[in-house]
């Protein structure tokens, strides 16, 4: 049963919490002896942390990663006895937010180690995670810093990380030599921190196989139904479907044009459906069927799906509206009020992302606030 708001919405999302739970369980199984955590940063990759967190907890997840301490504080009441790790770590001034919400800081640098140790001296024992950069050069102590810390005789007994972690730069590209290099460097670190659980794999890392699993895996995108490995079939269930309503259907004669910049040019008499979604809804301008300089590397724009058929986007995506060419559907089949699927069951989110020169992660996290959201759980 759909809500009246959903049935009348200009654009809407259906978010399948049973598929989300199945995807997490599947990643947990693929993680073998390791446990799978779940990554809930950026409002659970755009799908809504208030709904995603309890669903993943019910599926069995007990370890959750978010980016900021603010995200962690918002998450805490939803999953009271889960472990919540904060990727951005602790800074002077936000220590209390960690303690008050029982959040585990990830120590990413010598500076953050000093902040954490200072907070610890007032507080006594408190868990943390040590993040070591094994080659991505983004965040984390260097391998040398981590090894020195492990051997430091002055290291206080109160400093006992509950996890040592690192992050893979090329897990979406299995044959990339970076993967094995990072694995070898991470092994040096885990050997030095013998007995402390370790975590290396994001979604792509889980698919790299058992050597990469260690004790805890950190799948994100796969749980949300997106592609984790380039060029491999995606076996995850789609979690999010996006649809937008056709506001008007019009005929443009051969030789006519449409949208800003007269960017769509028609070489036959055409029927064009004007659909209520635009770049303000995260339907990026780079998905345009034509007329955007930035996307000239991509041969064609995104497709929509309507009455059993793909329909191409034409012309530029605008702030609130997009145009789809429905000429190839039977005359009279397409009406104002119909919904066009932007991605979901029939069109993979990653196919749409590719058409816009981006990735499913970015499409999901830019969905915006205008969609009417309906959460379903057919488990
Ligand atoms: C976002 C993130 C993940 C999840 O990555 P996916 O590719 O979405 O599986 C795991 N670990 C860290 C450190 C992250 O920042």
């Amino acid at each position: 049963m759909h809500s009246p708001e959903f049935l009348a919405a200009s654009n809407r999302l259906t978010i399948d919490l049973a598929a989300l739970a199945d995807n997490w369980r599947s990643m947990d199984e693929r993680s073998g002896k390791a446990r799978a955590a779940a990554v809930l940063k950026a409002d659970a990759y755009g799908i809504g942390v208030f709904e995603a967190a309890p669903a993943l907890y019910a599926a069995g997840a007990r370890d959750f990663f978010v980016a900021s301490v603010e995200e962690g504080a918002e998450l805490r009441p939803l999953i009271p006895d889960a472990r919540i790790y904060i990727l951005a770590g602790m800074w002077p001034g936000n220590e209390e937010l960690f303690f008050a919400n029982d959040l585990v800081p990830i120590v990413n640098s010598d500076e953050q180690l000093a902040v954490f140790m200072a907070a610890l001296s007032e507080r006594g024992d408190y868990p943390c995670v040590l993040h070591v950069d094994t080659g991505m050069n983004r965040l984390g102590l260097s391998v040398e810093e981590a090894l020195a810390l492990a051997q430091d005789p002055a290291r206080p007994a109160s400093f006992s990380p509950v996890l040592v972690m690192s992050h893979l730069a090329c897990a979406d590209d299995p044959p990339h030599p970076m993967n094995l290099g990072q694995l070898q460097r991470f092994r040096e670190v885990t050997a030095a921190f013998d007995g402390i659980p370790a975590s290396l794999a994001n979604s792509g890392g889980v698919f790299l196989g058992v050597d990469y699993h260690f004790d805890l895996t950190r799948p994100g995108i796969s749980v949300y139904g997106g592609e984790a490995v380039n060029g491999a079939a995606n076996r995850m269930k789609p979690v999010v479907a996006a649809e937008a309503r056709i506001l008007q259907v019009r005929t443009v004669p051969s030789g006519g044009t449409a949208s800003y910049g007269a960017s769509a040019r028609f070489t036959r008499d055409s029927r064009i459906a004007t659909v209520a979604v635009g770049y303000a809804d995260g339907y990026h301008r780079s998905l345009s069927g034509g007329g955007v300089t930035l996307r000239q590397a991509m041969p064609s724009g995104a497709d929509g799906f309507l009455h059993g058929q793909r329909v191409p986007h034409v012309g530029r995506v605008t702030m609130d509206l997009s145009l789809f060419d429905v000429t190839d559907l039977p005359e009279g089949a397409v009406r104002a009020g119909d919904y066009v699927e932007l991605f979901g069951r029939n069109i993979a989110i990653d196919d749409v992302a590719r058409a816009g020169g981006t990735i499913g992660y970015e499409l999901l996290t830019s969905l915006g606030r205008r969609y009417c959201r309906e959460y379903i759980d057919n488990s």
Side-chain angles (χ1 to χ4, degrees):
M1 288 301 282
H2 298 300
S3 69
E5 292 78 17
F6 187 82
L7 291 171
S10 290
N11 47 49
R12 60 196 195 183
L13 300 178
T14 306
I15 296 161
D16 186 343
L17 297 175
L20 181 79
D22 283 349
N23 288 341
W24 181 81
R25 277 189 289 263
S26 154
M27 293 308 283
D28 190 41
E29 271 164 36
R30 277 171 215 280
S31 299
K33 289 203 186 90
R35 276 179 303 135
V39 181
L40 287 175
K41 61 197 184 193
D43 198 26
Y45 285 44
I47 79 162
V49 72
F50 283 93
E51 292 78 13
L56 291 168
Y57 186 92
R62 291 295 179 270
D63 300 84
F64 295 87
F65 288 81
V66 289
S68 71
V69 69
E70 291 78 14
E71 287 183 328
E74 184 179 64
L75 178 58
R76 173 51 76 202
L78 305 171
I79 42 175
D81 69 351
R83 207 168 235 181
I84 302 176
Y85 306 92
I86 309 300
L87 290 163
M90 188 179 270
W91 285 102
N94 70 13
E95 302 94 331
E96 264 317 303
L97 265 180
F98 281 86
F99 299 139
N101 294 287
D102 190 15
L103 307 172
V104 180
I106 294 179
V107 172
N108 294 300
S109 64
D110 273 342
E111 290 95 322
Q112 288 197 328
L113 184 60
V115 174
F116 177 71
M117 293 310 294
L120 205 61
S121 67
E122 295 179 11
R123 161 92 201 189
D125 272 1
Y126 198 78
C128 75
V129 174
L130 197 64
H131 186 183
V132 182
D133 194 306
T134 51
M136 179 140 173
N137 279 325
R138 185 177 69 163
L139 202 56
L141 279 81
S142 69
V143 171
E144 293 69 33
E145 286 170 330
L147 295 178
L149 180 64
Q151 274 123 43
D152 183 356
R155 192 177 116 201
S158 55
F159 177 75
S160 51
V162 293
L163 191 70
V164 177
M165 66 171 268
S166 189
H167 192 53
L168 295 164
C170 303
D172 59 348
D173 183 10
H176 200 294
M178 189 69 141
N179 291 317
L180 207 53
Q182 285 196 269
L183 177 62
Q184 282 161 353
R185 282 189 287 280
F186 191 54
R187 281 193 173 136
E188 284 179 52
V189 174
T190 58
F193 287 93
D194 193 24
I196 297 176
S199 175
L200 177 62
N202 64 340
S203 300
V206 173
F207 290 104
L208 288 176
V210 61
D211 285 353
Y212 290 80
H213 294 165
F214 292 89
D215 302 294
L216 185 73
T217 61
R218 309 187 305 271
I221 195 67
S222 291
V223 176
Y224 301 99
E227 271 178 30
V229 183
N230 294 336
N234 181 3
R235 291 185 227 96
M236 297 296 129
K237 296 184 177 172
V239 171
V240 188
E243 299 171 292
R245 172 161 260 173
I246 299 175
L247 301 183
Q248 193 177 31
V249 183
R250 64 202 311 114
T251 302
V252 184
S254 180
T257 64
S259 197
Y260 286 127
S263 43
R265 184 170 292 279
F266 301 102
T267 55
R268 58 176 178 172
D269 293 348
S270 299
R271 267 175 304 123
I272 304 305
T274 302
V275 171
V277 70
Y279 57 75
D281 305 295
Y283 200 72
H284 299 307
R285 194 161 170 272
S286 60
L287 296 167
S288 298
V292 177
T293 326
L294 270 174
R295 60 168 302 281
Q296 276 168 354
M298 275 71 70
S300 62
D303 284 342
F305 192 87
L306 180 66
H307 299 312
Q309 213 168 301
R310 290 175 90 105
V311 288
H313 192 279
V314 289
R316 287 183 195 161
V317 173
T318 69
M319 188 182 293
D320 317 308
L321 298 168
S322 293
L323 304 178
F324 290 89
D325 187 334
V326 298
T327 314
D328 291 335
L329 280 164
E331 181 111 42
V334 182
R335 294 178 191 203
D338 290 350
Y339 284 91
V340 173
E341 178 187 307
L342 307 171
F343 57 82
R345 226 176 267 285
N346 300 292
I347 298 199
I349 186 168
D350 290 282
D351 287 345
V352 178
R354 262 187 289 278
T358 184
I359 52 177
Y361 299 71
E362 193 184 25
L363 270 194
L364 280 176
T365 54
S366 21
L367 285 171
R369 300 190 306 169
R370 294 202 293 202
Y371 289 94
C372 177
R373 289 164 176 242
E374 194 162 86
Y375 293 88
I376 58 169
D377 190 348
N378 299 322
S379 55

